[in-house]
Short mmCIF file of all heavy atoms in Angstrom, two decimals:
data_model
loop_
_atom_site.label_atom_id
_atom_site.label_comp_id
_atom_site.label_asym_id
_atom_site.label_seq_id
_atom_site.Cartn_x
_atom_site.Cartn_y
_atom_site.Cartn_z
N ARG M 120 -8.74 -38.65 68.55
CA ARG M 120 -7.94 -39.00 67.36
C ARG M 120 -7.58 -40.47 67.54
O ARG M 120 -6.88 -40.85 68.48
CB ARG M 120 -6.68 -38.15 67.26
CG ARG M 120 -5.88 -38.45 66.02
CD ARG M 120 -4.76 -37.43 65.87
NE ARG M 120 -4.01 -37.69 64.66
CZ ARG M 120 -2.97 -38.51 64.58
NH1 ARG M 120 -2.54 -39.14 65.66
NH2 ARG M 120 -2.34 -38.70 63.45
N VAL M 121 -8.10 -41.31 66.62
CA VAL M 121 -7.93 -42.75 66.70
C VAL M 121 -7.14 -43.20 65.48
O VAL M 121 -7.46 -42.82 64.35
CB VAL M 121 -9.28 -43.48 66.73
CG1 VAL M 121 -9.09 -44.97 66.92
CG2 VAL M 121 -10.18 -42.92 67.83
N VAL M 122 -6.09 -44.01 65.72
CA VAL M 122 -5.27 -44.52 64.62
C VAL M 122 -5.33 -46.04 64.65
O VAL M 122 -5.10 -46.67 65.69
CB VAL M 122 -3.80 -44.03 64.74
CG1 VAL M 122 -2.96 -44.63 63.62
CG2 VAL M 122 -3.75 -42.52 64.73
N PHE M 123 -5.67 -46.62 63.50
CA PHE M 123 -5.64 -48.07 63.31
C PHE M 123 -4.51 -48.35 62.33
O PHE M 123 -4.52 -47.85 61.20
CB PHE M 123 -6.95 -48.57 62.68
CG PHE M 123 -8.16 -48.39 63.55
CD1 PHE M 123 -8.98 -47.26 63.40
CD2 PHE M 123 -8.50 -49.34 64.48
CE1 PHE M 123 -10.10 -47.11 64.18
CE2 PHE M 123 -9.64 -49.19 65.25
CZ PHE M 123 -10.43 -48.07 65.11
N ALA M 124 -3.53 -49.15 62.74
CA ALA M 124 -2.42 -49.48 61.84
C ALA M 124 -2.91 -50.42 60.74
O ALA M 124 -2.53 -50.27 59.58
CB ALA M 124 -1.27 -50.11 62.62
N ALA M 125 -3.72 -51.36 61.09
CA ALA M 125 -4.28 -52.29 60.11
C ALA M 125 -5.64 -52.75 60.61
O ALA M 125 -5.77 -53.30 61.70
CB ALA M 125 -3.36 -53.50 59.93
N VAL M 126 -6.69 -52.50 59.80
CA VAL M 126 -8.05 -52.88 60.16
C VAL M 126 -8.80 -53.22 58.87
O VAL M 126 -8.53 -52.64 57.82
CB VAL M 126 -8.74 -51.74 60.95
CG1 VAL M 126 -8.94 -50.52 60.12
CG2 VAL M 126 -10.04 -52.22 61.54
N ALA M 127 -9.72 -54.16 58.98
CA ALA M 127 -10.56 -54.48 57.82
C ALA M 127 -11.49 -53.30 57.55
O ALA M 127 -12.11 -52.76 58.47
CB ALA M 127 -11.36 -55.75 58.09
N PHE M 128 -11.59 -52.92 56.28
CA PHE M 128 -12.35 -51.73 55.92
C PHE M 128 -13.83 -51.88 56.28
O PHE M 128 -14.42 -50.95 56.82
CB PHE M 128 -12.19 -51.44 54.42
CG PHE M 128 -12.91 -50.20 53.99
CD1 PHE M 128 -12.45 -48.95 54.34
CD2 PHE M 128 -14.08 -50.30 53.24
CE1 PHE M 128 -13.11 -47.80 53.95
CE2 PHE M 128 -14.75 -49.16 52.84
CZ PHE M 128 -14.27 -47.91 53.19
N ASP M 129 -14.43 -53.03 56.02
CA ASP M 129 -15.85 -53.20 56.31
C ASP M 129 -16.13 -53.16 57.81
O ASP M 129 -17.15 -52.61 58.24
CB ASP M 129 -16.38 -54.49 55.69
CG ASP M 129 -15.60 -55.72 56.11
OD1 ASP M 129 -14.50 -55.56 56.66
OD2 ASP M 129 -16.09 -56.84 55.86
N ARG M 130 -15.23 -53.67 58.63
CA ARG M 130 -15.40 -53.57 60.09
C ARG M 130 -15.26 -52.13 60.56
O ARG M 130 -15.97 -51.69 61.46
CB ARG M 130 -14.39 -54.46 60.81
CG ARG M 130 -14.74 -55.94 60.63
CD ARG M 130 -13.87 -56.84 61.44
NE ARG M 130 -14.12 -56.63 62.88
CZ ARG M 130 -13.30 -57.09 63.82
NH1 ARG M 130 -12.20 -57.75 63.49
NH2 ARG M 130 -13.57 -56.88 65.08
N LEU M 131 -14.34 -51.39 59.93
CA LEU M 131 -14.15 -49.98 60.28
C LEU M 131 -15.42 -49.18 59.98
O LEU M 131 -15.87 -48.37 60.80
CB LEU M 131 -12.95 -49.39 59.53
CG LEU M 131 -12.69 -47.90 59.75
CD1 LEU M 131 -12.29 -47.64 61.19
CD2 LEU M 131 -11.63 -47.41 58.79
N VAL M 132 -16.01 -49.43 58.83
CA VAL M 132 -17.25 -48.72 58.46
C VAL M 132 -18.37 -49.06 59.44
O VAL M 132 -19.13 -48.18 59.87
CB VAL M 132 -17.65 -49.07 57.01
CG1 VAL M 132 -19.03 -48.53 56.68
CG2 VAL M 132 -16.62 -48.52 56.03
N GLY M 133 -18.48 -50.32 59.84
CA GLY M 133 -19.50 -50.72 60.82
C GLY M 133 -19.30 -50.04 62.16
O GLY M 133 -20.27 -49.60 62.79
N VAL M 134 -18.05 -49.92 62.61
CA VAL M 134 -17.77 -49.25 63.89
C VAL M 134 -18.09 -47.77 63.79
O VAL M 134 -18.64 -47.18 64.74
CB VAL M 134 -16.30 -49.49 64.31
CG1 VAL M 134 -15.90 -48.56 65.43
CG2 VAL M 134 -16.11 -50.93 64.73
N LEU M 135 -17.75 -47.15 62.68
CA LEU M 135 -18.04 -45.72 62.52
C LEU M 135 -19.56 -45.48 62.53
O LEU M 135 -20.03 -44.49 63.10
CB LEU M 135 -17.42 -45.19 61.23
CG LEU M 135 -15.88 -45.14 61.22
CD1 LEU M 135 -15.38 -44.68 59.86
CD2 LEU M 135 -15.37 -44.24 62.33
N GLU M 136 -20.31 -46.38 61.92
CA GLU M 136 -21.77 -46.25 61.94
C GLU M 136 -22.30 -46.40 63.36
O GLU M 136 -23.15 -45.63 63.80
CB GLU M 136 -22.39 -47.32 61.04
CG GLU M 136 -23.90 -47.26 61.01
CD GLU M 136 -24.50 -48.37 60.18
OE1 GLU M 136 -23.75 -49.14 59.55
OE2 GLU M 136 -25.73 -48.47 60.18
N THR M 137 -21.78 -47.37 64.11
CA THR M 137 -22.22 -47.56 65.49
C THR M 137 -21.83 -46.38 66.36
O THR M 137 -22.60 -45.95 67.22
CB THR M 137 -21.61 -48.86 66.06
OG1 THR M 137 -21.94 -49.94 65.19
CG2 THR M 137 -22.13 -49.16 67.45
N LEU M 138 -20.64 -45.84 66.13
CA LEU M 138 -20.21 -44.66 66.90
C LEU M 138 -21.15 -43.48 66.64
O LEU M 138 -21.48 -42.74 67.57
CB LEU M 138 -18.78 -44.28 66.53
CG LEU M 138 -17.68 -45.12 67.17
CD1 LEU M 138 -16.34 -44.82 66.51
CD2 LEU M 138 -17.62 -44.86 68.66
N GLN M 139 -21.57 -43.31 65.42
CA GLN M 139 -22.47 -42.19 65.10
C GLN M 139 -23.85 -42.43 65.68
O GLN M 139 -24.45 -41.53 66.26
CB GLN M 139 -22.56 -42.00 63.59
CG GLN M 139 -23.46 -40.84 63.20
CD GLN M 139 -23.41 -40.56 61.72
OE1 GLN M 139 -22.51 -40.99 61.03
NE2 GLN M 139 -24.38 -39.83 61.24
N ARG M 140 -24.37 -43.65 65.56
CA ARG M 140 -25.72 -43.95 66.01
C ARG M 140 -25.82 -44.02 67.53
O ARG M 140 -26.67 -43.39 68.14
CB ARG M 140 -26.19 -45.26 65.38
CG ARG M 140 -27.63 -45.63 65.71
CD ARG M 140 -28.03 -46.99 65.18
NE ARG M 140 -27.18 -48.03 65.76
CZ ARG M 140 -26.47 -48.90 65.05
NH1 ARG M 140 -26.48 -48.87 63.75
NH2 ARG M 140 -25.72 -49.82 65.66
N ASP M 141 -24.93 -44.80 68.17
CA ASP M 141 -25.05 -45.05 69.60
C ASP M 141 -24.17 -44.15 70.46
O ASP M 141 -24.54 -43.84 71.59
CB ASP M 141 -24.70 -46.51 69.91
CG ASP M 141 -25.66 -47.48 69.22
OD1 ASP M 141 -26.77 -47.05 68.86
OD2 ASP M 141 -25.29 -48.65 69.04
N GLY M 142 -23.02 -43.78 69.96
CA GLY M 142 -22.09 -42.99 70.77
C GLY M 142 -22.16 -41.50 70.50
O GLY M 142 -21.48 -40.73 71.16
N ARG M 143 -22.95 -41.10 69.52
CA ARG M 143 -23.08 -39.69 69.14
C ARG M 143 -21.73 -39.05 68.82
O ARG M 143 -21.48 -37.90 69.12
CB ARG M 143 -23.81 -38.90 70.21
CG ARG M 143 -25.27 -39.28 70.32
CD ARG M 143 -25.97 -38.45 71.31
NE ARG M 143 -25.96 -39.20 72.58
CZ ARG M 143 -26.21 -38.68 73.75
NH1 ARG M 143 -26.47 -37.43 73.86
NH2 ARG M 143 -26.17 -39.42 74.82
N LEU M 144 -20.84 -39.85 68.23
CA LEU M 144 -19.55 -39.35 67.77
C LEU M 144 -19.50 -39.48 66.25
O LEU M 144 -19.74 -40.55 65.70
CB LEU M 144 -18.40 -40.16 68.39
CG LEU M 144 -18.17 -39.95 69.87
CD1 LEU M 144 -17.22 -41.00 70.41
CD2 LEU M 144 -17.63 -38.56 70.12
N ARG M 145 -19.16 -38.36 65.59
CA ARG M 145 -19.14 -38.35 64.13
C ARG M 145 -17.72 -38.13 63.63
O ARG M 145 -16.89 -37.55 64.32
CB ARG M 145 -20.05 -37.26 63.60
CG ARG M 145 -21.51 -37.60 63.84
CD ARG M 145 -22.43 -36.43 63.61
NE ARG M 145 -23.82 -36.74 63.77
CZ ARG M 145 -24.42 -37.10 64.89
NH1 ARG M 145 -23.71 -37.22 65.99
NH2 ARG M 145 -25.69 -37.35 64.95
N VAL M 146 -17.49 -38.60 62.43
CA VAL M 146 -16.17 -38.42 61.82
C VAL M 146 -16.03 -36.95 61.43
O VAL M 146 -16.83 -36.41 60.67
CB VAL M 146 -16.00 -39.33 60.58
CG1 VAL M 146 -14.69 -39.05 59.90
CG2 VAL M 146 -16.11 -40.78 60.98
N VAL M 147 -15.00 -36.32 61.96
CA VAL M 147 -14.71 -34.93 61.62
C VAL M 147 -13.66 -34.90 60.50
O VAL M 147 -13.74 -34.10 59.57
CB VAL M 147 -14.21 -34.16 62.86
CG1 VAL M 147 -13.82 -32.74 62.50
CG2 VAL M 147 -15.27 -34.18 63.95
N GLU M 148 -12.70 -35.80 60.62
CA GLU M 148 -11.62 -35.87 59.64
C GLU M 148 -11.15 -37.32 59.58
O GLU M 148 -11.12 -38.02 60.58
CB GLU M 148 -10.45 -34.97 60.08
CG GLU M 148 -9.31 -34.91 59.10
CD GLU M 148 -8.19 -34.00 59.61
OE1 GLU M 148 -8.39 -33.25 60.57
OE2 GLU M 148 -7.12 -34.09 59.01
N ALA M 149 -10.79 -37.77 58.37
CA ALA M 149 -10.32 -39.15 58.23
C ALA M 149 -9.31 -39.24 57.09
O ALA M 149 -9.49 -38.63 56.05
CB ALA M 149 -11.48 -40.09 57.97
N VAL M 150 -8.27 -40.01 57.34
CA VAL M 150 -7.29 -40.37 56.31
C VAL M 150 -7.25 -41.88 56.30
O VAL M 150 -6.84 -42.51 57.28
CB VAL M 150 -5.90 -39.77 56.60
CG1 VAL M 150 -4.92 -40.23 55.54
CG2 VAL M 150 -5.97 -38.26 56.69
N VAL M 151 -7.68 -42.47 55.19
CA VAL M 151 -7.73 -43.92 55.06
C VAL M 151 -6.82 -44.30 53.91
O VAL M 151 -6.98 -43.82 52.79
CB VAL M 151 -9.17 -44.40 54.81
CG1 VAL M 151 -9.22 -45.92 54.69
CG2 VAL M 151 -10.10 -43.93 55.92
N THR M 152 -5.85 -45.17 54.22
CA THR M 152 -4.86 -45.58 53.23
C THR M 152 -4.94 -47.08 53.04
O THR M 152 -4.94 -47.83 54.02
CB THR M 152 -3.44 -45.19 53.69
OG1 THR M 152 -3.44 -43.81 54.07
CG2 THR M 152 -2.42 -45.43 52.60
N ALA M 153 -4.97 -47.51 51.78
CA ALA M 153 -5.04 -48.95 51.49
C ALA M 153 -3.72 -49.61 51.86
O ALA M 153 -2.64 -49.03 51.72
CB ALA M 153 -5.32 -49.17 50.01
N ARG M 154 -3.81 -50.86 52.36
CA ARG M 154 -2.63 -51.65 52.69
C ARG M 154 -2.46 -52.73 51.64
O ARG M 154 -3.29 -52.92 50.77
CB ARG M 154 -2.79 -52.26 54.08
CG ARG M 154 -2.80 -51.19 55.19
CD ARG M 154 -2.91 -51.77 56.57
NE ARG M 154 -2.07 -52.94 56.81
CZ ARG M 154 -0.82 -52.88 57.28
NH1 ARG M 154 -0.27 -51.73 57.55
NH2 ARG M 154 -0.14 -53.99 57.50
N VAL M 155 -1.36 -53.46 51.74
CA VAL M 155 -1.05 -54.51 50.78
C VAL M 155 -2.08 -55.64 50.87
O VAL M 155 -2.53 -56.18 49.87
CB VAL M 155 0.38 -55.04 51.00
CG1 VAL M 155 0.68 -56.20 50.08
CG2 VAL M 155 1.39 -53.93 50.81
N GLU M 156 -2.52 -55.98 52.09
CA GLU M 156 -3.50 -57.04 52.27
C GLU M 156 -4.84 -56.57 51.71
O GLU M 156 -5.28 -55.47 52.01
CB GLU M 156 -3.67 -57.39 53.75
CG GLU M 156 -2.43 -57.88 54.45
CD GLU M 156 -1.59 -56.74 55.01
OE1 GLU M 156 -2.13 -55.64 55.25
OE2 GLU M 156 -0.39 -56.94 55.20
N PRO M 157 -5.53 -57.40 50.93
CA PRO M 157 -6.82 -57.00 50.37
C PRO M 157 -7.85 -56.73 51.46
O PRO M 157 -7.98 -57.51 52.41
CB PRO M 157 -7.25 -58.21 49.52
CG PRO M 157 -6.01 -59.02 49.32
CD PRO M 157 -5.10 -58.72 50.46
N GLY M 158 -8.56 -55.62 51.34
CA GLY M 158 -9.60 -55.25 52.29
C GLY M 158 -9.09 -54.63 53.57
O GLY M 158 -9.87 -54.26 54.43
N SER M 159 -7.78 -54.47 53.71
CA SER M 159 -7.20 -53.92 54.92
C SER M 159 -6.74 -52.49 54.66
O SER M 159 -6.25 -52.17 53.58
CB SER M 159 -6.01 -54.78 55.36
OG SER M 159 -5.45 -54.26 56.54
N VAL M 160 -6.92 -51.62 55.67
CA VAL M 160 -6.55 -50.20 55.53
C VAL M 160 -5.83 -49.71 56.79
O VAL M 160 -5.92 -50.33 57.84
CB VAL M 160 -7.78 -49.31 55.28
CG1 VAL M 160 -8.44 -49.63 53.95
CG2 VAL M 160 -8.79 -49.40 56.41
N ARG M 161 -5.13 -48.63 56.63
CA ARG M 161 -4.58 -47.88 57.75
C ARG M 161 -5.47 -46.65 57.87
O ARG M 161 -5.73 -45.98 56.88
CB ARG M 161 -3.14 -47.46 57.50
CG ARG M 161 -2.56 -46.66 58.66
CD ARG M 161 -1.12 -46.26 58.38
NE ARG M 161 -0.45 -45.78 59.55
CZ ARG M 161 -0.65 -44.60 60.15
NH1 ARG M 161 -1.53 -43.78 59.65
NH2 ARG M 161 0.02 -44.26 61.23
N ALA M 162 -5.98 -46.35 59.07
CA ALA M 162 -6.93 -45.29 59.22
C ALA M 162 -6.53 -44.36 60.36
O ALA M 162 -6.20 -44.81 61.45
CB ALA M 162 -8.32 -45.84 59.48
N GLU M 163 -6.53 -43.06 60.07
CA GLU M 163 -6.36 -42.03 61.08
C GLU M 163 -7.66 -41.23 61.09
O GLU M 163 -7.99 -40.54 60.11
CB GLU M 163 -5.19 -41.11 60.74
CG GLU M 163 -3.85 -41.83 60.71
CD GLU M 163 -2.71 -40.91 60.30
OE1 GLU M 163 -2.88 -39.66 60.38
OE2 GLU M 163 -1.67 -41.42 59.90
N ILE M 164 -8.41 -41.32 62.17
CA ILE M 164 -9.76 -40.76 62.22
C ILE M 164 -9.88 -39.82 63.40
O ILE M 164 -9.43 -40.12 64.51
CB ILE M 164 -10.82 -41.88 62.35
CG1 ILE M 164 -10.70 -42.82 61.17
CG2 ILE M 164 -12.21 -41.32 62.43
CD1 ILE M 164 -11.49 -44.08 61.31
N THR M 165 -10.46 -38.64 63.17
CA THR M 165 -10.76 -37.71 64.23
C THR M 165 -12.27 -37.70 64.42
O THR M 165 -13.04 -37.49 63.47
CB THR M 165 -10.27 -36.29 63.88
OG1 THR M 165 -8.87 -36.36 63.58
CG2 THR M 165 -10.52 -35.32 65.01
N LEU M 166 -12.70 -37.97 65.64
CA LEU M 166 -14.12 -38.05 65.98
C LEU M 166 -14.50 -36.90 66.89
O LEU M 166 -13.74 -36.52 67.78
CB LEU M 166 -14.44 -39.38 66.69
CG LEU M 166 -14.10 -40.66 65.92
CD1 LEU M 166 -14.13 -41.84 66.85
CD2 LEU M 166 -15.07 -40.83 64.78
N GLY M 167 -15.67 -36.37 66.67
CA GLY M 167 -16.18 -35.28 67.51
C GLY M 167 -17.68 -35.37 67.67
O GLY M 167 -18.37 -36.06 66.92
N PRO M 168 -18.19 -34.64 68.65
CA PRO M 168 -19.66 -34.66 68.88
C PRO M 168 -20.41 -33.93 67.79
O PRO M 168 -19.92 -33.22 67.01
CB PRO M 168 -19.82 -33.99 70.22
CG PRO M 168 -18.55 -33.35 70.57
CD PRO M 168 -17.51 -33.89 69.65
#
Side-chain angles (χ1 to χ4, degrees):
R120 183 171 181 272
V121 184
V122 177
F123 295 95
V126 66
F128 182 73
D129 55 347
R130 288 187 66 194
L131 177 65
V132 171
V134 166
L135 292 176
E136 180 184 355
T137 305
L138 282 168
Q139 181 173 342
R140 184 185 60 235
D141 298 339
R143 291 183 265 163
L144 290 169
R145 290 167 177 66
V146 175
V147 177
E148 183 180 348
V150 177
V151 181
T152 309
R154 294 182 43 90
V155 176
E156 300 87 23
S159 180
V160 295
R161 179 180 193 287
E163 297 177 19
I164 301 169
T165 305
L166 303 165

